[in-house]
Amino acid sequence: MDDSAAAVRIAVIGVGNDYRHDDGVGWEVVSRLALRGKQRPLPRGTTLTCTDGDPTRLIGAWEGVHLAVVVDAAHTHPARPGRVHRLRPEGDLPPTRPGGTSSHGFALGDTLQLARALGRLPGELLVYAVEAADTSLGTGLSPQVAAAVGPLVQRIEEDLVRHVPAGR
């Protein structure tokens, strides 16, 4: 087996909509990772993707990877905008309420159930949910969510480095 076939495959996936204020946080994190990667390369085999949350695109982005890191905006009550939650899919993601939906039309928990049923989950899945202040139409993150982006980018970089075995 050649070295490229043995390489660890990692996907960082920003979920959201750049035209709904804080719902664009996942895309902003991916954009910052891409910029930082030019100065400090991410582990080999890492792909950066932005998606609108469509289940087939999300599943396609993480299919066949060893580690998928998903970043998305979250709505919580009471909200603490900018607070970041680090979740594992086993037992951490709340079930979708009947009639409930996300700003993407299909909740991440539902996508996980679909991927599990299809046998298309990544080897390991890590979800970062950033509490949003404003998901109305418009561009730009709220100050609280914007302040969370830099530390979150650093935390994800650390996750990626820890995931790759030494020598790769």
Side-chain angles (χ1 to χ4, degrees), residues 18-138:
D18 233 3
Y19 297 102
R20 294 189 68 92
H21 292 290
D22 290 344
D23 197 35
V25 68
W27 292 20
E28 181 63 22
V29 166
V30 167
S31 175
R32 295 256 194 108
L33 281 167
L35 288 173
R36 287 177 83 156
K38 291 179 182 177
Q39 291 128 6
R40 207 172 40 245
L42 296 171
R44 193 173 49 167
T46 301
T47 59
L48 303 173
T49 304
C50 290
T51 180
D52 59 4
D54 173 81
T56 57
R57 286 189 280 276
L58 188 55
I59 292 169
W62 72 40
E63 187 172 19
V65 303
H66 296 93
L67 171 66
V69 178
V70 175
V71 183
D72 197 4
H75 298 278
T76 60
H77 299 285
R80 285 187 34 210
R83 186 167 89 175
V84 177
H85 302 267
R86 185 177 193 265
L87 309 167
R88 302 265 179 195
E90 297 300 322
D92 276 342
L93 293 176
T96 305
R97 294 182 321 260
T101 187
S102 75
S103 59
H104 317 297
F106 202 79
L108 182 57
D110 294 334
T111 300
L112 289 171
Q113 286 180 343
L114 176 61
R116 190 172 286 119
L118 296 173
R120 293 177 67 187
L121 283 171
E124 183 179 347
L125 180 60
L126 182 58
V127 177
Y128 283 101
V130 182
E131 291 188 34
D134 181 6
T135 57
S136 65
L137 292 177

